[in-house]
Amino acid sequence: MKKKVGIIGSGIAGLSSAVRMAARGYEVHVFEANGYPGGKLCEISIGNYRFDAGPSLFTMPEYFEDLFATVGKKFSDYCPYQKLDPITHYFYEDGTRYKTHASAEKSADEMAVQLNGNKKDILHHFENSKKLYELTAETFLHQSIHHYENFSFIDLMKISANLKTLNLFTTMHDINHKKFKDAKLVQYFDRFATYNGSNPYEAPGTLNVIPHLEHNVGAFFPKGGMVSISRSVYNLAVELGVHFHFNTKVNEIKVEKKKVIGLSFNEVKREDNKHIDVAKSEFLPVDLVISNMDVAYTYRKLLPNEKHPEKTLNQPRALSAMVFYLGIKKEFPELGLHNIFFSKDYKHEFDRFFKQQSLAEDLTIYINISSKYEKDDAPKGCENWFVMINTPPHTGQDWDTLIKNARKNIIAKLSRILNEDIESLIEVEDILEPRIIETRNLSWQGSLYGNSSNNKFAAFLRHSNFSSKIKGLYFCGGSVHPGGGIPLSVLSAKIVDDLIPKK
Ligand SMILES: Cc1cc2nc3c(=O)[nH]c(=O)nc-3n(C[C@H](O)[C@H](O)[C@H](O)COP(=O)(O)OP(=O)(O)OC[C@H]3O[C@@H](n4cnc5c(N)ncnc54)[C@H](O)[C@@H]3O)c2cc1C
């Protein structure tokens, strides 16, 4: 008889785990509280506009190629994607504008001219970022760091010989500030801290590894939009015979003698983004459980009788977000797929997030417009604007007031910089905000990426991909090692696969 695994959640890591476990011959059951796969990686439609609802930047497709290769398939056959050039359009209130490109040389050329930088220094920064990746990826990203036998003597020697390059003891901002004279260039490189929801003024310089992904490897666009990524992994899982239980919420992981024995679950319906039970609880005996639910909620909601690793669960959370989905009845040729409108005072913006748990008036705004590539995402002559700002995680703020003020400030800033009355161009509108992110995806405090990396020990303070107390319990997804974002979430599924004994 086949061994059974129950996977809680069909986020991108849950789907990836489903593929890997089916490939190993397990009978796989995925329980998903929502009515669709993908978790945060999903889409919404408003009138004649389609929007990718969550992630919009796709990096490291090689991790998906690796996933599909485990069953002899090619990711690009299921989800064709293209390399972006240009990558992002940048805008400042003082009129400065530039674009980044697929070629690091070309980006450095343009940035050097527009930001009074030195091309050699910029290229050196990209190169350094690559070095950091090569130094850390194998040891800290591609395997569990909670199994000490995974650390080879050679790895440790290599890392200790390169401690200076790792910049663990200096903040990302301090490194960037020391390297570049122009404040806008510093701001440019500091922004990469937000790629995992962290604060560049606190996070260690090691996070300067992030530009490597975009500048040396590239940014990509999947045909059909970001949702094609989760759909393609879901389709593969279905082909492999995975059983999906949608609108079904797991309410307890049953444990006996410190070993997982099964899952109890309920059929639910979603009302006001909350999941409401509509049927009696059922039970499925399983041999293994992989939780793709936020690890804090996995313990607090599904394992009420077990001892919780409070120190790990209570680490400060990464940033959350507000997204205004706007149907805009005009086309803007100066905008591209990814656009950033920087704030004037970045330090103040991050102090407001992390010290006051609030928002500055002048905010850095990101706009994603998938209709630049997928014409059907908006009516002719129109564009689908995904307008996002970062916010602190949800700790009980007066969000209604914050949203009202942020919306007003965003529209005013975009109208100023684009020299257009944006309010009058809005045809349809919807919003995603921290409270919704929390209840819709069951992500504690609505954090986009689990714990923040605002601390040099953050990598070790993230929960491991297995329970050391309960046999048969594993964890994947953005709230556990190696961290948040699509690429790392997919890697977490590989790590779980490696941890589950092959016999
Ligand atoms: C607005 C926004 C923008 C982002 N931008 C980017 C970006 O540009 N690039 C990038 O790489 N990343 C980005 N991210 C982060 C990225 O989306 C996440 O890190 C990643 O998708 C997390 O995937 P996951 O596997 O952890 O699961 P999640 O997407 O968190 O999904 C977990 C799933 O589990 C289900 N679930 C939870 N508990 C239960 C239960 N008890 N029973 C049944 N089901 C349950 C939930 O319903 C959910 O579907 C963004 C996120 C957001 C919200």
Side-chain angles (χ1 to χ4, degrees):
M1 215 170 64
K2 277 185 171 183
K3 284 204 164 197
K4 251 186 232 167
V5 55
I7 298 181
I8 307 167
S10 71
I12 196 63
L15 292 173
S16 306
S17 286
V19 165
R20 287 183 178 274
M21 297 313 288
R24 283 176 62 167
Y26 280 81
E27 179 180 319
V28 184
H29 291 264
V30 178
F31 295 89
E32 172 51 60
N34 291 317
Y36 52 84
K40 297 181 181 93
L41 189 38
C42 64
E43 66 177 1
I44 63 160
S45 291
I46 319 168
N48 294 323
Y49 294 84
R50 187 203 75 89
F51 299 84
D52 283 312
S56 50
L57 178 66
F58 183 34
T59 54
M60 303 304 272
E62 65 196 66
Y63 293 158
F64 283 93
E65 294 294 0
D66 178 56
L67 171 70
F68 278 63
T70 56
V71 289
K73 304 279 183 184
K74 275 181 77 177
F75 172 60
S76 55
D77 288 343
Y78 284 69
C79 178
Y81 54 92
Q82 67 182 96
K83 195 167 185 172
L84 291 177
D85 192 19
I87 301 176
T88 307
H89 295 57
Y90 291 88
F91 300 82
Y92 296 77
E93 295 261 5
D94 69 0
T96 307
R97 292 181 180 196
Y98 61 91
K99 295 193 273 286
T100 50
H101 300 272
S103 142
E105 278 272 335
K106 200 170 164 196
S107 297
D109 266 334
E110 196 163 331
M111 289 161 81
V113 172
Q114 297 301 326
L115 304 177
N116 309 312
N118 178 322
K119 181 179 171 188
K120 234 172 80 192
D121 290 344
I122 298 170
L123 283 174
H124 179 263
H125 202 65
F126 294 159
E127 206 34 53
N128 203 50
S129 190
K130 181 173 176 216
K131 249 193 228 155
L132 275 173
Y133 181 80
E134 287 167 353
L135 194 61
T136 53
E138 213 42 56
T139 312
F140 294 108
L141 300 181
H142 296 176
Q143 62 174 5
S144 171
I145 54 170
H146 301 87
H147 261 308
Y148 299 110
E149 60 268 32
N150 278 346
F151 291 97
S152 74
F153 180 68
I154 295 172
D155 282 342
L156 292 177
M157 287 303 287
K158 206 170 80 182
I159 285 163
S160 49
N162 285 284
L163 269 182
K164 200 162 168 267
T165 317
L166 282 176
N167 283 321
L168 258 179
F169 300 97
T170 319
T171 69
M172 210 178 162
H173 172 77
D174 283 345
I175 300 283
N176 297 335
H177 179 61
K178 218 161 146 192
K179 203 161 204 171
F180 301 107
K181 284 197 196 73
D182 189 276
K184 290 194 205 107
L185 203 44
V186 177
Q187 189 175 24
Y188 174 81
F189 283 110
D190 281 356
R191 191 179 83 85
F192 285 96
T194 63
Y195 282 34
N196 71 3
S198 301
N199 179 354
Y201 301 91
E202 287 180 4
T206 325
L207 258 64
N208 278 322
V209 63
I210 300 173
H212 168 65
L213 310 184
E214 203 169 302
H215 283 292
N216 300 320
V217 184
F220 300 83
F221 183 77
K223 191 166 169 10
M226 294 295 284
V227 72
S228 303
I229 301 172
S230 44
R231 242 178 230 153
S232 67
V233 187
Y234 169 70
N235 288 340
L236 178 61
V238 170
E239 271 175 39
L240 295 171
V242 171
H243 305 268
F244 281 90
H245 307 263
F246 289 111
N247 298 309
T248 306
K249 186 170 158 189
V250 172
N251 52 47
E252 194 174 347
I253 300 172
K254 297 279 186 193
V255 177
E256 236 176 56
K257 295 184 184 151
K258 297 286 165 206
K259 186 182 176 323
V260 155
I261 58 156
L263 292 172
S264 67
F265 54 90
N266 274 97
E267 201 184 315
V268 289
K269 65 173 179 181
R270 206 169 85 186
E271 255 177 35
D272 294 334
N273 290 304
K274 294 199 178 91
H275 302 101
I276 299 165
D277 293 348
V278 292
K280 273 204 199 139
S281 191
E282 293 176 54
F283 177 75
L284 180 79
V286 294
D287 301 285
L288 299 175
V289 167
I290 302 175
S291 180
N292 179 214
M293 184 186 198
D294 187 306
V295 67
Y297 275 157
T298 302
Y299 279 98
R300 290 183 183 134
K301 292 185 186 279
L302 308 188
L303 290 163
N305 304 320
E306 302 297 321
K307 194 169 178 325
H308 297 176
E310 290 300 342
K311 187 170 176 216
T312 310
L313 302 187
N314 288 321
Q315 288 304 306
R317 287 255 135 176
L319 291 168
S320 186
M322 275 179 209
V323 181
F324 299 91
Y325 306 103
L326 307 179
I328 297 284
K329 47 186 185 195
K330 182 175 163 48
E331 285 181 301
F332 286 76
E334 66 269 53
L335 297 178
L337 174 69
H338 300 294
N339 309 275
I340 290 286
F341 296 76
F342 270 122
S343 65
K344 277 193 191 140
D345 187 344
Y346 221 29
K347 174 80 169 64
H348 176 66
E349 197 179 347
F350 281 89
D351 281 350
R352 293 292 285 164
F353 291 150
F354 286 103
K355 292 196 174 136
Q356 283 106 36
Q357 308 296 317
S358 190
L359 295 178
E361 259 190 40
D362 180 24
L363 296 153
T364 298
I365 304 166
Y366 165 73
I367 308 186
N368 177 259
I369 310 174
S370 67
S371 61
K372 294 281 182 193
Y373 280 74
E374 291 292 337
K375 289 294 165 213
D376 290 348
D377 283 357
K380 202 167 181 321
C382 304
E383 291 180 343
N384 63 340
W385 285 18
F386 164 109
V387 180
M388 176 175 143
I389 55 158
N390 276 121
T391 72
H394 168 40
T395 52
Q397 293 90 331
D398 173 4
W399 287 111
D400 293 338
T401 305
L402 289 172
I403 290 167
K404 206 169 112 215
N405 293 340
R407 188 188 180 286
K408 187 178 84 199
N409 293 334
I410 289 169
I411 299 292
K413 181 174 175 123
L414 295 177
S415 301
R416 248 185 344 262
I417 298 180
L418 295 172
N419 201 18
E420 193 75 55
D421 175 14
I422 300 298
E423 185 70 62
S424 68
L425 298 175
I426 300 173
E427 196 174 29
V428 294
E429 178 169 359
D430 202 348
I431 187 172
L432 180 73
E433 42 101 345
R435 292 170 298 189
I436 302 180
I437 297 173
E438 172 160 275
T439 50
R440 194 184 281 172
N441 305 292
L442 299 135
S443 295
W444 186 46
Q445 296 188 348
S447 155
L448 307 187
Y449 305 97
N451 291 351
S452 79
S453 295
N454 292 344
N455 166 332
K456 49 185 164 298
F457 303 112
F460 293 94
L461 292 169
R462 239 175 233 116
H463 199 285
S464 57
N465 304 94
F466 61 95
S467 163
S468 54
K469 302 275 186 308
I470 302 167
K471 217 171 151 210
L473 176 57
Y474 296 86
F475 303 92
C476 65
S479 68
V480 295
H481 176 71
I486 299 168
L488 298 191
S489 299
V490 174
L491 278 182
S492 72
K494 180 190 176 296
I495 297 172
V496 167
D497 186 5
D498 291 341
L499 286 168
I500 295 173
K502 293 284 184 280
K503 266 188 241 164

